[in-house]
Amino acid sequence: MAVCNGFMAPGLINGTACWLVFGCVATLVQSMYFVKETPKITKEESKQLGRVVVWTSTICMWLFWAFVYMHQMVPLIYPIHTGTPA
C-alpha cells in the first residue's frame, strides 16, 4: 500500500515552492514596472496596492492548484474496468 504523506507530499511541497518563487518574481516585476504616481495616489500607495494585488492573486492561484493536486491524490471515483469479450 502507498505511504500517505498528507500535506508533506513531495509534489505539493515542490509546487508550493514554485508558487512562492512566482510571487516573489511578480512582486519584483510589479515594483519595477507598474508603480506610478498620479494626482490621487502616491508612489508608495501604488507600490502597496500592487503588492496586495500580486500576493492576493498568487495565493488564490496557489490554493486552486493545491486543491486540484490534492484531489488527484485521493480520487473519489475509481474507474471500473470491464473485460472486453474476445
Side-chain angles (χ1 to χ4, degrees):
M1 180 162 278
V3 176
C4 179
N5 292 326
F7 289 115
M8 292 310 217
L12 199 57
I13 298 296
N14 292 338
T16 299
C18 289
W19 280 108
L20 180 65
V21 169
F22 173 80
C24 292
V25 169
T27 301
L28 289 173
V29 169
Q30 179 272 331
S31 64
M32 290 188 329
Y33 298 111
F34 295 102
V35 175
K36 182 177 179 182
E37 188 167 353
T38 64
K40 294 188 177 188
I41 189 170
T42 65
K43 205 167 194 172
E44 186 59 34
E45 289 172 334
S46 176
K47 190 182 281 190
Q48 288 177 349
L49 177 63
R51 275 191 235 124
V52 168
V53 169
V54 164
W55 283 103
T56 300
S57 60
T58 301
I59 289 169
C60 287
M61 289 186 292
W62 169 76
L63 279 173
F64 185 76
W65 170 83
F67 294 156
V68 171
Y69 185 87
M70 287 188 288
H71 179 70
Q72 293 175 11
M73 289 167 59
V74 183
L76 296 177
I77 300 171
Y78 292 100
I80 300 171
H81 299 286
T82 57
T84 57

